[in-house]
């Protein structure tokens, strides 16, 4: 792919795009650029005060921006359902869903429904949200679902016998890697199901490389203060793979995008390498069935 920047994004007037975790970091930068290009943005955020502040920041830069706020706590499936119901009630179309929000390497805790926080929020929350919004996406011509993974997925594997880390010692980065691998596998499996149903809707995955966003606040002094600054890029640059996946006409169903620089750590966006473990079709089916069973959300294509 040729050098890709935000200049490549077409006019998005008339498009409605939902971004989870839109009040800070990659989510904010993604929302800002999409608003600049004319899209109506639904900022889905857990903290409503921070969401209001983010909305004001966007409008301060883009006075004509069309921003709607909805509350979304991915660690609470009741909140996910309420959010989806509100979005469907307010909008006749949804052109792009960007599953951006996430937690990283947090101390052990659980979601409201009792799931390990990182797997529950990063994967199960977005699995439920996507399934609940799928009917609206399917009736919107050429809609897209963009799921954020991480380079941490390259070194992760699933432990289906103890996926919530109830028996083995909890390791924050191991749990994070598993959750982000789940995001990638989910996107690829969703793409296969959409293709099988001959839908116009496509599903793609992205990873941002390394960026010193709010996710890094629980990653420890060495990572946050020393390692990350050496190998990272700013949030606006790290948001480029998401923006490309959400808007570029060359993006194909089931594709994966990330930085094109050394080890995909930073650089302009381009095709990313899908790790071998993300291509395991048996694991993909098990993960999908687990998502439906634990969330109670059944997908209908």
């Amino acid at each position: 792919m040729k050098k890709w920047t935000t200049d490549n994004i077409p006019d998005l007037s008339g498009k409605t795009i939902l971004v989870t975790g839109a009040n800070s970091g990659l989510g904010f930068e993604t929302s800002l650029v999409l608003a600049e290009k004319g899209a109506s943005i639904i900022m889905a955020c857990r903290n409503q005060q921070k969401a209001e502040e983010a909305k004001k920041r966007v409008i301060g830069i883009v006075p004509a921006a069309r921003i709607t706020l909805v509350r979304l706590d991915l660690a609470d499936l009741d909140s996910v359902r309420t959010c989806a119901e509100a979005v469907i009630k307010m909008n006749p179309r949804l052109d792009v869903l960007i599953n951006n929000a996430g937690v990283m390497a947090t101390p052990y805790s659980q979601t409201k429904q009792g799931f390990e926080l990182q797997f529950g929020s990063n994967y199960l929350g977005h699995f439920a949200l996507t399934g609940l919004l799928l009917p609206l996406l399917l009736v919107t011509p050429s809609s897209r679902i963009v799921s954020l993974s991480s380079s941490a997925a390259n070194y992760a594997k699933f432990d289906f016998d103890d996926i919530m880390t109830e028996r083995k010692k909890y390791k924050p980065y191991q749990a994070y890697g598993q959750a982000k691998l789940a995001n990638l596998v989910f996107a690829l499996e969703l793409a296969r199901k959409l293709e099988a149903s001959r839908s116009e809707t496509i599903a793609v995955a992205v990873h941002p490389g390394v960026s010193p966003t709010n996710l890094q606040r629980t990653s420890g002094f060495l990572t946050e203060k020393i390692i990350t600054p050496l190998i990272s890029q700013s949030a606006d640059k790290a948001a480029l793979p998401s923006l490309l996946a959400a808007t570029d006409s060359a993006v194909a169903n089931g594709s994966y995008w990330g930085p094109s620089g050394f080890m995909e750590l930073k650089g302009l966006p381009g095709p990313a390498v899908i790790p071998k473990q993300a291509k395991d079709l048996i694991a993909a089916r098990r993960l999908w069935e687990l998502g439906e069973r634990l969330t109670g959300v059944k997908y209908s294509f």
Side-chain angles (χ1 to χ4, degrees):
M1 173 170 279
K2 295 180 180 178
K3 179 180 178 181
W4 197 95
T5 70
T6 55
D7 291 337
N8 295 88
I9 300 176
D11 177 43
L12 299 177
S13 299
K15 304 286 188 182
T16 299
I17 301 176
L18 188 152
V19 183
T20 68
N23 59 278
S24 65
L26 304 180
F28 176 81
E29 297 296 339
T30 300
S31 299
L32 174 61
V33 172
L34 295 173
E36 287 176 328
K37 297 296 182 176
S40 296
I41 308 300
I42 303 172
M43 302 178 80
C45 310
R46 181 178 58 84
N47 186 307
Q48 287 304 282
Q49 180 179 345
K50 292 181 179 179
E52 290 285 358
E53 293 170 356
K55 178 180 178 179
K56 291 179 181 178
R57 288 174 61 198
V58 172
I59 293 175
I61 300 169
V62 188
R66 292 179 295 278
I67 306 291
T68 302
L69 302 181
V70 291
R71 186 178 184 279
L72 172 64
D73 183 355
L74 290 164
D76 179 2
L77 293 176
D78 294 331
S79 173
V80 173
R81 287 185 178 276
T82 300
C83 173
E85 290 168 0
V87 171
I88 291 170
K89 184 177 181 179
M90 293 186 298
N91 298 277
R93 64 185 296 137
L94 182 59
D95 295 271
V96 185
L97 168 62
I98 304 180
N99 291 323
N100 165 84
V103 292
M104 176 182 178
T106 54
Y108 181 81
S109 59
Q110 295 181 336
T111 68
K112 183 179 178 182
Q113 283 72 32
F115 306 127
E116 186 274 314
L117 180 63
Q118 296 191 81
F119 190 80
S121 295
N122 295 351
Y123 174 59
L124 293 177
H126 279 127
F127 180 93
L129 180 67
T130 304
L132 293 167
L133 291 177
L134 189 61
L136 186 57
L137 288 155
L138 292 177
V139 299
T140 305
S142 302
S143 60
R144 299 184 182 193
I145 301 159
V146 180
S147 295
L148 267 74
S149 182
S150 165
S151 55
N154 295 347
Y155 313 102
K157 61 181 180 180
F158 294 123
D159 181 359
F160 284 108
D161 293 327
D162 189 20
I163 206 152
M164 298 296 173
T165 322
E166 295 171 311
R167 295 190 295 273
K168 62 179 178 290
K169 181 180 179 181
Y170 177 74
K171 298 179 179 179
Y173 279 100
Q174 188 176 80
Y176 176 70
Q178 177 180 247
K180 299 315 285 184
L181 176 60
N183 290 142
L184 176 54
V185 171
F186 162 70
L188 299 177
E189 181 69 3
L190 178 57
R192 288 187 286 267
K193 291 180 181 296
L194 288 167
E195 183 177 6
S197 69
R198 298 184 179 181
S199 173
E200 285 187 23
T201 301
I202 65 172
V204 301
V206 304
H207 79 83
V210 180
S211 179
T213 66
N214 284 349
L215 283 185
Q216 299 285 340
R217 68 186 184 274
T218 58
S219 59
F221 177 83
L222 181 62
T223 298
E224 180 181 0
K225 301 299 184 183
I226 299 176
I227 298 176
T228 298
L230 292 175
I231 61 175
S232 68
Q233 57 188 352
S234 60
D236 62 319
K237 297 293 191 299
L240 288 176
S242 295
L243 291 165
L244 183 155
T247 65
D248 198 276
S249 61
V251 171
N253 187 38
S255 57
Y256 187 34
W257 304 86
S260 57
F262 176 69
M263 294 183 66
E264 299 182 4
L265 296 173
K266 57 183 179 179
L268 292 173
V273 176
I274 299 175
K276 180 180 178 180
Q277 62 270 35
K279 301 176 184 179
D280 185 333
L281 298 183
I282 295 176
R285 285 194 291 271
R286 291 186 69 181
L287 184 70
W288 190 277
E289 291 167 0
L290 185 67
E292 289 194 328
R293 177 166 59 84
L294 295 180
T295 66
V297 175
K298 304 292 183 182
Y299 279 58
S300 176
F301 295 90

